[in-house]
Amino acid sequence: MRTPGSNQEDKKAAGESAAALIKDGMVLGLGTGSTVAWTILKLGESVKEGLDILAVPTSYQSEALAIQAGIQITTLSQHPVLDLAIDGADQIDISLRAIKGGGAAHTREKVVSNSARRFVIVTDGSKYVHKLSVPVPLEVLSFAFNLVVRRVAEMGGQPILRLGKMKDGPVITDNGNFVVDAHFGPIENPQGLSAALCSIPGVIEHGIFCNIDEVHVARGGRVEIIRR
Ligand code: 5RP
């Protein structure tokens, strides 16, 4: 898991809370990260007790974890419409808009969450805020890197190429692209910024999500469920 140690108890409580939404026969989208990993593990336990589900994972990491947990994997080709997608977030505001992509999986996460009838976010309370302010991850075609950097700077952002921790040079996503973290400070209009980022050629997907139906926020082990 990417962020061991930080708020693990609350991440576990939120992640496991969302697992209670899953019913027999559902086809799920499984997000990526250390919070939704608890959902996947909990679902794995239920599968061992007889729960019958299929899941589309959003990353190599979630796919490996789901397989290890005994969850049967499917694809969007086989199941283009999912019953429910569950994922973590790097920050989510009180109007249920989120920034995701801390694990560089936001492109598949956006495709999967938009393929689902409902999208649920699981998070610890530290990420539930009044105003989004963390950097916005952009998955960028390497060929377009310089153009994207220039356009983000023209929009008032500070673009930073994400570098590997155990690898020299840039992080390469599961789709074979770069990640640029675009620092804008507090974001007044997430929908407007989303539209502006979508208009930059070479930005494959950005990490602003405005399609969230429900959030499970854990604080001190207690989970609050907020619905749109
Ligand atoms: C991956 C994501 C994650 O959901 C987000 O980074 C939260 O991760 P974690 O639950 O480990 O804090 O968007 O791309």
Side-chain angles (χ1 to χ4, degrees), residues 1-3 6 8 11 31-37 87-91 99-107 109 121-124 127 162 209:
M1 291 179 195
R2 192 159 33 85
T3 51
S6 60
Q8 277 306 310
K11 287 183 178 209
T32 297
S34 57
T35 314
V36 75
D87 207 338
D90 299 304
Q91 215 170 41
I99 295 180
K100 295 181 41 53
H106 55 282
T107 298
E109 290 171 338
I121 289 285
V122 289
T123 182
D124 66 76
K127 298 172 176 175
R162 194 181 296 181
F209 284 59

Coordinates of all heavy atoms in Angstrom, one line a residue, residues 1-3 6 8 11 31-37 87-91 99-107 109 121-124 127 162 209, ligand 1:
M1 N 0.8 -1.2 0.0 CA 0.0 0.0 0.0 C 0.9 1.2 0.0 O 1.9 1.3 0.6 CB -0.9 0.0 1.2 CG -2.0 -1.1 1.2 SD -3.0 -1.1 2.6 CE -3.8 -2.7 2.5
R2 N 0.4 2.3 -0.7 CA 1.2 3.5 -0.9 C 1.5 4.4 0.3 O 2.5 4.9 0.5 CB 0.6 4.3 -2.0 CG 1.4 5.4 -2.6 CD 0.8 5.8 -4.0 NE -0.6 5.6 -4.0 CZ -1.5 6.6 -3.6 NH1 -1.1 7.7 -3.1 NH2 -2.8 6.4 -3.7
T3 N 0.5 4.5 1.2 CA 0.6 5.4 2.3 C 0.4 4.7 3.7 O -0.5 4.9 4.4 CB -0.4 6.5 2.2 OG1 -1.7 6.0 2.0 CG2 -0.1 7.5 1.1
S6 N -0.5 6.2 7.8 CA -1.3 7.4 8.1 C -2.8 7.1 8.1 O -3.4 6.5 7.2 CB -1.1 8.4 6.9 OG -1.5 7.8 5.7
Q8 N -4.5 4.7 9.3 CA -4.9 3.4 8.8 C -6.2 2.9 9.4 O -7.0 2.2 8.7 CB -3.8 2.4 9.1 CG -2.7 2.4 8.0 CD -3.2 2.2 6.6 OE1 -3.9 1.3 6.3 NE2 -2.8 3.1 5.7
K11 N -9.0 4.6 7.6 CA -9.1 4.1 6.2 C -9.8 2.7 6.2 O -10.6 2.4 5.3 CB -7.7 4.0 5.6 CG -7.0 5.3 5.2 CD -5.7 5.1 4.6 CE -5.1 6.5 4.2 NZ -4.2 6.4 3.1
G31 N -11.5 0.6 -7.2 CA -10.5 1.7 -7.3 C -9.2 1.2 -6.8 O -8.9 0.0 -6.6
T32 N -8.3 2.2 -6.6 CA -6.9 1.9 -6.3 C -6.5 2.7 -5.1 O -6.9 3.9 -4.9 CB -6.0 2.3 -7.5 OG1 -6.4 1.5 -8.6 CG2 -4.5 2.2 -7.2
G33 N -5.6 2.1 -4.2 CA -5.1 2.9 -3.1 C -5.3 2.1 -1.8 O -5.9 1.1 -1.7
S34 N -4.7 2.7 -0.7 CA -4.7 2.0 0.6 C -6.0 2.0 1.3 O -6.2 1.2 2.2 CB -3.6 2.7 1.5 OG -3.9 4.1 1.6
T35 N -7.0 2.9 0.9 CA -8.3 2.9 1.6 C -9.2 1.8 0.9 O -9.8 1.0 1.6 CB -8.9 4.3 1.5 OG1 -8.0 5.3 1.9 CG2 -10.1 4.4 2.5
V36 N -9.3 1.9 -0.4 CA -10.2 0.9 -1.1 C -9.6 -0.5 -1.0 O -10.3 -1.5 -1.1 CB -10.5 1.3 -2.5 CG1 -9.3 1.1 -3.4 CG2 -11.7 0.6 -3.1
A37 N -8.3 -0.6 -0.6 CA -7.7 -1.9 -0.4 C -8.5 -2.7 0.7 O -8.7 -3.9 0.6 CB -6.2 -1.8 -0.1
D87 N -14.0 3.7 -4.5 CA -12.6 4.2 -4.7 C -12.3 5.1 -3.6 O -13.1 5.6 -2.8 CB -12.5 4.9 -6.1 CG -11.1 4.9 -6.6 OD1 -10.2 4.7 -5.9 OD2 -11.0 5.1 -7.9
G88 N -11.0 5.4 -3.4 CA -10.5 6.3 -2.5 C -10.4 7.7 -3.1 O -10.7 7.9 -4.3
A89 N -9.8 8.7 -2.4 CA -9.6 10.0 -3.0 C -8.5 10.7 -2.2 O -8.1 10.3 -1.1 CB -10.9 10.9 -2.8
D90 N -7.8 11.6 -2.8 CA -6.8 12.4 -2.2 C -7.4 13.6 -1.4 O -6.8 14.0 -0.4 CB -5.8 12.9 -3.2 CG -5.1 11.7 -3.9 OD1 -4.6 10.9 -3.2 OD2 -5.2 11.6 -5.1
Q91 N -8.5 14.1 -1.9 CA -9.3 15.1 -1.2 C -10.7 15.1 -1.7 O -10.9 14.8 -2.9 CB -8.6 16.5 -1.4 CG -8.7 17.4 -0.3 CD -7.8 18.7 -0.5 OE1 -7.8 19.2 -1.6 NE2 -7.1 19.1 0.6
I99 N -10.4 15.2 -5.7 CA -9.2 15.1 -6.5 C -8.6 13.7 -6.2 O -8.5 13.3 -5.1 CB -8.2 16.2 -6.1 CG1 -8.8 17.6 -6.5 CG2 -6.8 16.0 -6.8 CD1 -7.9 18.7 -6.2
K100 N -8.3 13.0 -7.3 CA -7.8 11.7 -7.3 C -6.5 11.6 -8.1 O -6.3 12.5 -8.9 CB -8.8 10.6 -7.7 CG -10.0 10.6 -6.8 CD -11.1 9.5 -7.3 CE -10.5 8.3 -7.7 NZ -9.5 7.6 -6.8
G101 N -5.8 10.5 -8.0 CA -4.7 10.3 -8.9 C -3.3 10.2 -8.1 O -2.3 10.2 -8.7
G102 N -3.4 10.2 -6.8 CA -2.2 10.1 -6.0 C -1.5 8.8 -6.3 O -0.2 8.8 -6.2
G103 N -2.2 7.8 -6.8 CA -1.6 6.6 -7.2 C -1.4 6.4 -8.7 O -1.1 5.4 -9.2
A104 N -1.7 7.6 -9.4 CA -1.5 7.7 -10.9 C -2.5 6.7 -11.6 O -2.2 6.4 -12.7 CB -0.1 7.4 -11.3
A105 N -3.6 6.4 -11.0 CA -4.6 5.5 -11.6 C -5.8 6.2 -12.0 O -6.8 5.6 -12.4 CB -4.9 4.4 -10.6
H106 N -5.8 7.5 -12.0 CA -7.1 8.3 -12.2 C -7.7 8.1 -13.5 O -9.0 8.3 -13.6 CB -6.9 9.8 -11.8 CG -5.8 10.4 -12.6 ND1 -4.5 10.3 -12.3 CD2 -5.9 11.3 -13.7 CE1 -3.8 11.0 -13.2 NE2 -4.6 11.6 -14.0
T107 N -7.0 7.8 -14.6 CA -7.6 7.7 -15.9 C -8.6 6.5 -15.9 O -9.8 6.6 -16.2 CB -6.6 7.6 -17.0 OG1 -5.8 8.8 -17.1 CG2 -7.3 7.4 -18.4
E109 N -9.6 5.0 -13.3 CA -10.6 5.2 -12.2 C -11.8 6.1 -12.8 O -13.0 5.9 -12.4 CB -10.0 5.9 -11.0 CG -9.0 5.0 -10.3 CD -8.2 5.7 -9.2 OE1 -8.0 6.9 -9.3 OE2 -7.7 5.0 -8.3
I121 N -17.1 7.0 -2.7 CA -15.8 7.3 -2.2 C -15.6 6.9 -0.8 O -16.5 7.1 0.1 CB -15.5 8.8 -2.4 CG1 -15.3 9.2 -3.9 CG2 -14.2 9.2 -1.6 CD1 -14.0 8.7 -4.6
V122 N -14.5 6.3 -0.5 CA -14.2 5.9 0.9 C -12.9 6.7 1.3 O -11.9 6.8 0.6 CB -13.9 4.4 1.1 CG1 -15.2 3.7 0.9 CG2 -12.9 3.8 0.1
T123 N -13.0 7.4 2.5 CA -11.9 8.2 2.9 C -11.8 8.4 4.4 O -12.8 8.2 5.1 CB -12.0 9.6 2.3 OG1 -10.9 10.4 2.6 CG2 -13.3 10.3 2.7
D124 N -10.6 8.7 4.9 CA -10.5 9.2 6.3 C -10.9 10.6 6.4 O -10.8 11.4 5.4 CB -9.1 8.9 6.9 CG -8.1 9.7 6.2 OD1 -8.0 10.9 6.5 OD2 -7.4 9.1 5.3
K127 N -9.2 14.1 4.8 CA -9.3 14.5 3.3 C -10.6 15.1 3.0 O -10.8 15.5 1.8 CB -9.1 13.2 2.5 CG -7.8 12.5 2.6 CD -7.8 11.3 1.8 CE -6.5 10.5 1.8 NZ -6.7 9.2 1.1
R162 N 5.9 14.2 -12.2 CA 6.0 13.2 -11.1 C 7.1 12.2 -11.3 O 7.2 11.6 -12.4 CB 4.7 12.5 -10.8 CG 4.7 11.7 -9.5 CD 3.4 11.0 -9.2 NE 2.3 11.8 -9.1 CZ 1.0 11.3 -8.9 NH1 0.9 10.0 -8.7 NH2 0.0 12.1 -8.8
F209 N -12.8 14.8 -10.0 CA -14.0 14.0 -10.2 C -15.2 14.7 -9.7 O -15.2 15.1 -8.5 CB -13.8 12.6 -9.4 CG -12.9 11.7 -10.1 CD1 -11.5 12.0 -10.3 CD2 -13.3 10.4 -10.4 CE1 -10.7 11.1 -10.9 CE2 -12.4 9.5 -11.0 CZ -11.1 9.8 -11.3
Ligands
5RP1 C1 -5.2 6.5 -7.0 C2 -6.1 7.3 -6.2 C3 -6.4 6.9 -4.8 O1 -7.7 6.6 -4.6 C4 -6.0 8.1 -3.9 O2 -4.7 8.5 -4.2 C5 -6.2 7.8 -2.4 O3 -5.3 6.8 -2.0 P1 -5.2 6.3 -0.5 O4 -6.5 5.6 -0.3 O5 -4.0 5.3 -0.5 O6 -5.0 7.5 0.4 O7 -6.7 8.2 -6.7 O8 -4.9 7.0 -8.2

